[in-house]
Every structure is written in structure tokens, then in C-alpha cells.
Amino acid sequence: MPPADPSAESDAVPADHGSAERSGPERSGPEPSGPERSGSRADGGPFGAEDTLDLELTEELLALIAEGRSAGAARTRVTHELLGDPGAWQPATTAAGEFALVPVRPERDLAVVSRWMNDPAVAAFWELAGPESVTADHLRPQLEGDGRSIPCLGVLDGTPMSYWEIYRADLDPLARYYPARPHDTGLHLLIGGVNNRGRGVGTTLLRAVADLVLDNLPRCGRVVAEPDLRNTPSVSAFLSAGFRFSAEVDLPDKHAALMIRDRTYRAQL
């Protein structure tokens, strides 16, 4: 377990063990990459390549993604008052390639997101394995809600390879378990496909997405996340991405590490 931040004690809030609600948009995502994604596995061990599905993406899907980022698809974008429009954010240039967030459109993206959810490495943490209807039921409250959580595909050099949820942590059940500040913004993620895991891509993209949030949401002072505390490689990835370990938090579904990336210190971390 990483050393506690000096402010950890002040950041911690006793868990409301009587609450039946889960943190984030129902659950937090699997952690950044391959062996770093042990998450809530019962044995706590890393996932090997044999435990994952290397998912092939069709040319049709790639074309639709490209179309979705074109000016002609602007009419499909929904501008959210709470989180802006991640689909309009400029792509980030990273060491792994050009990375962009594309808000999920079920008619285009449900199949691939569902396939990722059925990857054993992902299913062990997200608990959304099953037919496409299971994933659809998870997406629907976000897509039909008030914009406090936006599900997105992460597209690297034109290829969708990750799933993200950008959400207002201060308006989420998570806020019951830590001293939330107005406009705190949370991240959930999964990396799709074994070839994208275990080579530092998760850390690179965590930093990129946190920077995108801070650059595009000027009222957000902190980006937060709550990976499973047992997932030491994941916590390490967040630390490498400029997050600090703030506190241990008892959530309804896990004992979590509260990770925070502060706007004030982003240049130093």
C-alpha cells in the first residue's frame, strides 16, 4: 500500500455501512492495464494473457468512429451543462499516440463495449458480463440522465481501445464517503484488448484524460478516482499519472484508495 498523503486523515470519512448505493455510476471500472488490472479478483493476482480476449474491431466500426468525430456528426453531440462535451475536446498528443474521447452511441458502440465487458479480465472487476442488454442497462441511466456521468470510448490513433466514464464526483454517491468539493470530477476506465495492457498505456492515458478534464472544465479543481486498494499496480499507475494517494475509503462494494490529482500541483506531479 502506498504511503498515506499527509492530508489522508482529514480526507477520510467513515463509511455509511447502512447505505445500499454503490460509488460512482454504480461501480468503478477495471484498472489501467493488463497485470495492473487485478482489481477485485478474489485471489488478488494479476491476469495473464490467457485470461483475456484480444478483441478485433471491424473496419465498419472504425469508419463509424471516424464519422462520429467529423463535423457532419456534430448534430449527434449532446452538450452537457455539468461536464461539457468531451466529444468536442481537442485530442491529446501522448507518447502512445493521439488520444481522443468519443461519447458512446449505443447504436454504434454497444457491441464492442459489451465484448470488452465479457473479457474475463474485465468481467471480474466490472461484473457486467452477459448479453448486450446487460451493458445497455448500465449505459442507459448515464445516456438518459442529466449529464452527471458521460460514458466515452477512448480512441488511440483512430482505434477505439478503452472505455471511460467521466462523472461529477461531487454529485455522485461517492461524495458520501469523502469530503467532496464542488466540481470534483471522477474517472472510471477499462482498457480493451490484451495488446493494450501491461505496457504503461494505462498510466499514459490516465494522465492525458485527467489533463483533458482540467483543461476543459475550468471550475474543476480536482480529478478523483477510487481503485480497489488491493490493486497495488493500479494505485501505482495512478501515482505515476500525477495522482496522490489521499485516503482509504470503505465503499459499499470495495475498500478503495482515494486518488486525487490536484489542479494546483499538476505541473509538479
Side-chain angles (χ1 to χ4, degrees):
M1 181 172 66
D5 182 84
S7 61
E9 293 185 1
S10 62
D11 283 343
V13 172
D16 177 6
H17 294 288
S19 172
E21 295 195 59
R22 305 170 74 87
S23 69
E26 296 303 319
R27 69 195 80 231
S28 79
E31 302 311 329
S33 58
E36 297 179 357
R37 297 183 52 267
S38 54
S40 59
R41 279 184 52 177
D43 59 7
F47 292 102
E50 68 276 11
D51 295 322
T52 65
L53 301 176
D54 193 7
L55 303 176
E56 296 294 332
L57 299 169
T58 66
E59 292 183 3
E60 180 182 5
L61 175 61
L62 297 178
L64 287 171
I65 291 293
E67 177 187 347
R69 289 199 57 77
S70 70
R75 61 185 174 79
T76 67
R77 292 175 175 163
V78 177
T79 300
H80 299 278
E81 294 182 2
L82 297 176
L83 286 167
D85 179 9
W89 297 351
Q90 288 297 312
T93 300
T94 76
E98 185 178 84
F99 179 80
L101 292 170
V102 178
V104 166
R105 288 164 44 192
E107 68 275 14
R108 179 193 66 197
D109 305 323
L110 179 59
V112 70
V113 176
S114 180
R115 288 169 65 193
W116 286 339
M117 292 298 184
N118 278 279
D119 181 326
V122 174
F125 202 82
W126 283 70
E127 301 177 356
L128 289 174
E132 289 184 3
S133 60
V134 175
T135 300
D137 288 343
H138 177 75
L139 294 172
R140 187 175 300 108
Q142 299 178 76
L143 297 171
E144 297 179 356
D146 59 6
R148 69 182 61 194
S149 179
I150 302 178
C152 296
L153 291 184
V155 179
L156 185 63
D157 284 338
T159 300
M161 47 71 66
S162 53
Y163 170 76
W164 299 75
E165 291 172 349
I166 316 297
Y167 70 97
R168 279 287 296 270
D170 60 324
L171 303 178
D172 187 85
L174 175 64
R176 301 177 182 180
Y177 300 93
Y178 84 106
R181 298 177 186 174
H183 301 284
D184 276 358
T185 301
L187 302 179
H188 295 150
L189 75 151
L190 69 83
I191 303 295
V194 64
N195 291 336
N196 295 310
R197 300 174 186 159
R199 54 188 181 94
V201 172
T203 293
T204 298
L205 299 187
L206 278 170
R207 180 179 290 275
V209 173
D211 282 341
L212 285 173
V213 169
L214 294 173
D215 288 342
N216 290 279
L217 301 178
R219 290 184 292 178
C220 171
R222 307 190 302 178
V223 182
V224 305
E226 11 77 35
D228 194 300
L229 187 63
R230 296 171 298 172
N231 192 344
T232 303
S234 175
V235 174
S236 178
F238 276 97
L239 291 170
S240 297
F243 288 74
R244 63 182 171 88
F245 175 80
S246 178
E248 298 182 15
V249 184
D250 279 316
L251 302 179
D253 58 344
K254 64 184 175 183
H255 191 55
L258 179 66
M259 308 300 298
I260 296 176
R261 185 159 191 219
D262 301 275
R263 178 184 295 277
T264 303
Y265 305 114
R266 65 183 293 198
Q268 288 76 42
L269 297 172

